[in-house]
Amino acid sequence: MNEIHCRNALTKSKGRFPYDYELNPYRGCAHHCQYCYAMYTHRYLEDDGHFFDHVHVKSNIVEALRSQLTAPSWKHKIIGIGTVCDAYQPIEAEMKLMPEILKLLIETATPCVISTKSALILRDKALLDELAEKVPVIVAFSINTVDEELRKIIEPNATPIQGRIMALRAFRDSKVKTGLHTIPIIPMLTDSRENLEALLQLAHEADYFTCGTMYLRGETRKAFMAFIERQYPHLKRTFMQLYAKGSLDKEYKKQLYSWLRPRMKDINSDYQQFLIMNEQLSLF
């Protein structure tokens, strides 16, 4: 663990997301997801190649966030938390940055969207419930397989699947809205109809469901292909063909989404609520 200082706690979001700013208390992530798209970020810290082993803590992030949220120019925009590195990864149990961050959001009535693969978020449920009494709050759980043995291989240090499902269900009677993110869908590993049907069924317990396929670029591509060569060498050629470029083969994606889209729309409260919440949050 290394401490670093940040000039600003928030960065402006780039892209079409249901939040305006991003907040990441940590650089690096111990979950060790084999497909992590954020591996490249350590090159800015001259710590390339140690994304999973060297987690950098933004030790002054609470003070920096207070400065931004109490400034006269702050417009109570939506903050996405854990958009690059999970804010509830294992080191958070020790550092306890999130309770102080949530207290600031409560104090300043600031809405947020939190993405996580960790059941540690339940530690802060009371704070999230309190915040949700004031402003919109979404907690999105990332689950891309119901196969625990596969999870141990592709996400070795993340919370087991049942733990995430338990955490999602814990918000059932809360004003906190929940999402199920099946991201990424990985060809030949998590793309079976049986797995996706199980996740779609689970999505009925959340307020919305969304999904997306895996991208392979830069550091992520090198690391993931090395993982496939070690763990699933018989699949490497197919992966090379499907990912001749950074994004997945267009025909593969077309077939996958033609199967998924009508099923997503059948999750009425989930899919429609996702669109409605996005609109509501944008207008907040």
Side-chain angles (χ1 to χ4, degrees), residues 125-179:
K125 184 176 182 298
L127 289 170
L128 288 161
D129 286 340
E130 185 178 349
L131 179 60
E133 290 290 335
K134 293 187 169 188
V135 292
V137 177
I138 298 175
V139 173
F141 291 94
S142 176
I143 305 176
N144 66 356
T145 180
V146 294
D147 183 340
E148 180 59 17
E149 292 307 308
L150 177 59
R151 193 282 305 168
K152 291 176 183 177
I153 296 171
I154 61 176
E155 301 173 350
N157 298 329
T159 294
I161 301 304
Q162 285 304 314
R164 288 180 235 178
I165 293 173
M166 175 196 70
L168 185 154
R169 289 171 175 164
F171 287 97
R172 183 177 292 161
D173 298 321
S174 167
K175 286 191 177 181
V176 173
K177 299 298 183 182
T178 56

Side-chain angles (χ1 to χ4, degrees), residues 153-211:
I153 296 171
I154 61 176
E155 301 173 350
N157 298 329
T159 294
I161 301 304
Q162 285 304 314
R164 288 180 235 178
I165 293 173
M166 175 196 70
L168 185 154
R169 289 171 175 164
F171 287 97
R172 183 177 292 161
D173 298 321
S174 167
K175 286 191 177 181
V176 173
K177 299 298 183 182
T178 56
L180 177 63
H181 288 190
T182 294
I183 301 172
I185 298 172
I186 306 174
M188 299 172 287
L189 295 184
T190 69
D191 66 343
S192 72
R193 298 300 183 259
E194 180 183 12
N195 181 58
L196 294 175
E197 286 281 16
L199 291 168
L200 287 164
Q201 187 62 36
L202 176 62
H204 286 280
E205 301 192 46
D207 291 294
Y208 76 89
F209 170 81
T210 190
C211 61

Side-chain angles (χ1 to χ4, degrees), residues 230-248:
R230 290 193 310 271
Q231 196 73 38
Y232 304 102
H234 61 290
L235 298 180
K236 185 174 181 181
R237 177 176 293 183
T238 306
F239 269 105
M240 293 296 287
Q241 291 171 344
L242 288 173
Y243 285 95
K245 298 180 180 179
S247 57
L248 185 54

